[in-house]
Every structure is written in C-alpha cells, then in structure tokens.
Amino acid sequence: QSVLTQPPSASGTPGQRVTISCSGSSSNIGSKYVYWYQQFPRAAPKLLIYRTDQRPSGVPDRFSGSKSGTSASLAISGLRSDDEADYYCSTWDDSLSGWVFGRGTKLTVL
Amino acid sequence: EVQLLESGGGLVQPGGSLRLSCAASGFTFSSFGMSWVRQGPGKGLEWVSVIGGSGGDTKYSDSVKGRFTISRDDSKNTLYLQMNSLRAGDTAVYYCVRVSGYYYDSSALDYWGQGTLVTVSS
C-alpha cells in the first residue's frame, strides 16, 4: 500500500485536458515539493515536473503541476497519442526519511 | 549529457548477495547525491537508498535497511549497491538516479539510468 494515492487509470481523447490526482499527508505532500515522472513501456522514468509546478527544459507547457493542502495534481492539456504512458507522483516523506511514490496512473488516449 | 549506466544485475538464489554498479558521466559526480530506485515486475516505483555527495549522509528504505549498503567511489565516478540476504521480493529493475540538490527533502530524482534487472529465485 503506497503512501501516496493515485487513480490506477485515466483516459481522454486527443486535444482534451486530463488531470491526474495524487493524495498524501502532512508529512509528505502537505509540507514538501511534489514531483511527477513519466514512464513509457520498457523505458526508464523521466522527470516531468519538479518543485510542484516547474517544468525541466524540453518538457512542453502542456504539462502542468499544482498542489493544494495534502493533494497534488498533474494536468495535461491538448492531449496527444504519444502522451500514453504511466505517470507517477513523488515527494519526500519526513516520517519515513525517504522519497515516496504513488502507484502510478496509466494514461490512455482514446 | 548526463549518462548513468548500471551493471551487475542477474539471477541470484534467495539468501544470496549481489553488487550493483552505476557508472556516471556528463556531470561532476562528487557534487551530487545519488540514489537507487527499484521497480518490481509490473509494479510501481520504490525508493531504495540515497547517498550524499562525497559520501555524505546515507538513508535506506525500511524494506532494505540492514541488508543493503550504498556506497560510492568518486575517483571512479561510480555508485554501488551491495545487496545481501536477498529475497524474492527484491526482484526488480534497479535504477541508478541522480539527486538534483543538496537537501534531499527539496530535491528531485532528475536523471535516471536504464536499469539493471535483479531476479531472486531458486
């Protein structure tokens, strides 16, 4: 059972906006930055969002992150077929003294 | 370009040991913390361990504490993970990952290697 809770799946049609939620607690999301990772099948994860709402260079501005209290969200606008991937939220947990991850959300573009 | 290349994975019997290595290039290795993250077959990501730049503060997840040891050789730009008393539940792809900042609790895991597969089975 993961410390962070994500929906197992999400879907949308091309061009739509999709959001993926991530719920935690005061010892992690509530007091720390949130990070999002994108993972394609048989590939390593890639950092997508850092410090809750910042994009590394090369990540399109269609991807955005936000946080409110002990929950965070990843939004993907202008959905494309090549956005199909698994998305993981992550943050540092003070109680566990380590990084924690959600179980991942599989995004399907219909 | 940051590159992280893991090696040392393979098949090992329960109770056995294995040492993973990660050769780093494209950045000043000694200046960055490094971490291991694993992913079991068909499962999500699980943080395993971290070591600070120049061998500073080490931390472990509860699931590996006392069995795994993280270390680094800055002269060789190489990160290690010594894994002892291996269990079936340790079966996973192990990723070598760079830590973006000095303070762990405000840092991303910003660059990932391609991973090395460890299979624990008799």
Side-chain angles (χ1 to χ4, degrees):
Chain A
Q1 156 177 355
S2 294
V3 172
L4 304 181
T5 302
Q6 293 181 240
S9 63
S11 63
T13 56
Q16 267 191 333
R17 183 176 187 271
V18 170
T19 61
I20 297 172
S21 62
C22 177
S23 177
S25 68
S26 58
S27 67
N28 46 67
I29 290 178
S31 57
K32 303 296 177 188
Y33 292 118
V34 179
Y35 306 91
W36 291 90
Y37 300 89
Q38 178 188 56
Q39 186 179 33
F40 295 107
R42 294 171 298 282
K46 168 193 163 186
L47 179 64
L48 194 65
I49 297 288
Y50 69 100
R51 293 204 165 187
T52 303
D53 58 8
Q54 301 298 302
R55 286 183 307 277
S57 63
V59 174
D61 59 7
R62 300 187 298 106
F63 295 89
S64 61
S66 63
K67 183 179 92 166
S68 178
T70 59
S71 293
S73 292
L74 172 71
I76 309 172
S77 61
L79 201 60
R80 297 165 41 135
S81 59
D82 57 3
D83 293 331
E84 275 205 350
D86 293 326
Y87 293 86
Y88 293 89
C89 62
S90 177
T91 185
W92 181 267
D93 189 291
D94 276 338
S95 297
L96 299 174
S97 287
W99 284 277
V100 291
F101 292 90
R103 286 193 167 186
T105 298
K106 183 177 183 60
L107 175 64
T108 301
V109 181
L110 302 169
Chain B
E1 180 193 5
V2 172
Q3 291 194 336
L4 301 168
L5 184 61
E6 303 93 337
S7 61
L11 175 64
V12 61
Q13 291 189 337
S17 298
L18 210 57
R19 189 176 84 154
L20 305 183
S21 300
C22 170
S25 61
F27 64 102
T28 305
F29 182 70
S30 60
S31 297
F32 287 85
M34 297 295 297
S35 188
W36 291 96
V37 176
R38 68 185 182 184
Q39 186 169 32
K43 295 185 177 180
L45 302 170
E46 179 188 12
W47 172 74
V48 173
S49 182
V50 64
I51 185 168
S54 300
D57 189 25
T58 59
K59 293 186 183 294
Y60 299 89
S61 67
D62 287 343
S63 60
V64 307
K65 199 172 295 181
R67 300 187 299 124
F68 290 12
T69 302
I70 191 170
S71 63
R72 61 191 296 160
D73 185 338
D74 289 348
S75 69
K76 296 182 179 179
N77 287 355
T78 302
L79 175 72
Y80 302 100
L81 185 67
Q82 177 66 44
M83 304 185 295
N84 299 330
S85 303
L86 283 162
R87 309 164 179 165
D90 296 319
T91 294
V93 173
Y94 284 73
Y95 293 104
C96 168
V97 190
R98 193 182 80 166
V99 179
S100 65
Y102 182 83
Y103 297 104
Y104 299 153
D105 67 345
S106 59
S107 295
L109 302 170
D110 62 354
Y111 287 93
W112 298 60
Q114 286 305 301
T116 186
L117 176 62
V118 172
T119 303
V120 184
S121 175
S122 54

